[in-house]
Amino acid sequence: MSNPTSAEKLWEYEAVQPGQDGPTTVVTLTPEHIAAYASVAQNPDGRFHASAANTEYGGALAAMPTMILTYAPLMRPEIAAHQGFVALEDSKTSRRQTPFAKCEVCWFKPVIAGDTLTGTRRVHEKYERRGSRFVTFRIEATNQRGEKVAHYDYTCIFSYAKGQQSVPAGDGAAKPAPALNAGRATAAATPRVLTFDSAAIGTALAPLSITESVEIMLRKNDLRLAGKHRPSNIHTDEEFAKKNIFGGMVNSGPATLSYVDQMLLQSFPLRAFYDGGRLLMRAITPFRSSDTVTFTGEVTGKRIEDGKKFVDCRVRGHNQRGELVCLSDATMVLPA
């Protein structure tokens, strides 16, 4: 009798190699896609729900910057299959997750309703640090004119050093807020949009509080514009999640990125993300259902290079227990 374990050619860390790629995807973005993404990002900003509200691009409906993680998704299992392997998430014998560690996005062009986006994906690098093993993927997106609109480097944890990870005791105690109203921080009802001159070092950014819920996590998982729908993972399947390092359901790294995106959009124009804007977010503590995370930040630097005006910021997200959930660094590009 054959051993079922031997039948699976698992994409373990040793089998992952830089340059391994996955299938190319093509997505034509509709106004409905853009609004749906803003909805699961708990962002009520009219610029992403009604084209008439967006004056930065002549009334055209532009996507939230972090939507690149939806119209050009990582598709880790598809990369594994493209190389002849079974992803650990799809294993029938040794199933486990390779969770989010960090992601850095760089933007070059805005994405507008009607654009057709081609996404490519490959293994960028792999490395070990303090006993843990990491794999970074590079995903790039170009529009129908062949222009590169953005790319991101998405790092996953393929294995933890023993005893290194910590898991919070349980779910948060905060009451979930309605999906489209959870995102407005009472401390900044009318946020001030910063200019290069007004963005002094130490200037506080408008804060944002977000309450996560199972309903939002499920809707986020169901919003698939490319790649196979996966109903069971640590963001949607409580029983499977309990067997993994976080001990229960948590939101996804891309979801938290979208909240940082929304927070920055309170203090900067949408254009500030493009022509060299970037955002690096590191996950520190799981963002669980019913947790409320408040994002706060400040300007940490400003400079002029090659005629461009750059403003650097640091953003921290703390939950209602006072734990640091994420730490982000952003560079915004302001008009000359």
Side-chain angles (χ1 to χ4, degrees):
M1 181 179 294
S2 62
N3 183 349
T5 302
S6 64
E8 287 193 313
K9 187 180 176 184
L10 293 178
W11 205 38
E12 296 276 9
Y13 181 80
E14 293 76 9
V16 175
Q17 297 299 328
Q20 291 175 330
D21 61 0
T24 297
T25 56
V26 179
V27 172
T28 298
L29 218 55
T30 68
E32 291 75 21
H33 292 153
I34 292 172
Y37 179 83
S39 179
V40 297
Q42 304 195 57
N43 189 350
D45 191 327
R47 288 178 293 177
F48 308 109
H49 294 276
S51 60
N54 189 346
T55 60
E56 289 188 70
Y57 296 101
L61 187 61
M64 285 180 62
T66 50
M67 193 178 179
I68 183 177
L69 282 89
T70 295
Y71 63 70
L74 169 58
M75 294 168 49
R76 191 165 53 243
E78 285 86 341
I79 298 174
H82 198 63
Q83 301 299 321
F85 292 93
V86 175
L88 295 171
E89 292 85 354
D90 286 348
S91 173
K92 298 184 184 305
T93 59
S94 304
R95 189 183 182 206
R96 71 174 191 272
Q97 289 289 314
T98 52
F100 175 96
K102 64 180 181 178
C103 183
E104 182 171 18
V105 192
C106 297
W107 291 276
F108 308 101
K109 301 284 184 181
V111 170
I112 307 296
D115 280 351
T116 296
L117 292 315
T118 298
T120 61
R121 49 202 47 82
R122 68 182 187 276
V123 177
H124 184 57
E125 64 176 345
K126 55 186 284 192
Y127 59 93
E128 296 188 36
R129 185 166 297 164
R130 294 187 292 274
S132 295
R133 292 174 162 185
F134 301 87
V135 175
T136 299
F137 301 86
R138 166 67 61 88
I139 296 84
E140 299 183 354
T142 57
N143 62 23
Q144 67 274 16
R145 293 179 294 276
E147 300 166 328
K148 184 175 177 179
V149 298
H151 72 245
Y152 62 94
D153 292 341
Y154 190 114
T155 300
C156 300
I157 308 166
F158 265 59
S159 65
Y160 271 99
K162 288 186 177 180
Q164 186 171 345
Q165 73 270 28
S166 60
V167 179
D171 290 347
K175 182 179 179 181
L180 282 179
N181 294 322
R184 286 295 150 211
T186 56
T190 306
R192 176 172 62 117
V193 176
L194 298 175
T195 64
F196 186 78
D197 291 335
S198 66
I201 294 175
T203 298
L205 306 181
L208 176 73
S209 291
I210 291 284
T211 300
E212 194 57 276
S213 69
V214 171
E215 184 250 343
I216 285 292
M217 286 192 279
L218 293 175
R219 287 174 55 202
K220 174 69 175 172
N221 188 69
D222 288 342
L223 182 59
R224 293 280 169 172
L225 304 184
K228 181 180 177 182
H229 178 257
R230 299 180 184 278
S232 175
N233 53 55
I234 57 175
H235 314 304
T236 62
D237 186 334
E238 182 69 29
E239 291 307 310
F240 176 53
K242 285 179 179 177
K243 299 174 184 177
N244 282 271
I245 61 171
F246 299 132
M249 283 176 59
V250 298
N251 86 343
S252 65
T256 304
L257 266 168
S258 74
Y259 301 147
V260 179
D261 174 353
Q262 181 186 166
M263 183 258 194
L264 290 168
L265 281 167
Q266 293 185 137
S267 296
F268 297 98
L270 180 57
R271 290 182 183 276
F273 280 85
Y274 303 112
D275 199 19
R278 59 177 284 275
L279 171 62
L280 167 64
M281 191 198 82
R282 311 163 194 85
I284 310 296
T285 300
F287 192 164
R288 297 174 177 276
S289 170
S290 297
D291 275 353
T292 296
V293 172
T294 298
F295 299 90
T296 58
E298 67 280 333
V299 174
T300 57
K302 55 190 293 188
R303 63 196 187 280
I304 300 176
E305 294 179 1
D306 299 325
K308 295 181 182 179
K309 295 183 176 181
F310 296 94
V311 173
D312 299 317
C313 306
R314 169 151 285 193
V315 175
R316 300 171 180 85
H318 288 88
N319 64 23
Q320 72 277 11
R321 294 179 291 273
E323 299 165 329
L324 181 64
V325 171
C326 64
L327 181 65
S328 303
D329 290 296
T331 297
M332 314 305 288
V333 186
L334 295 178

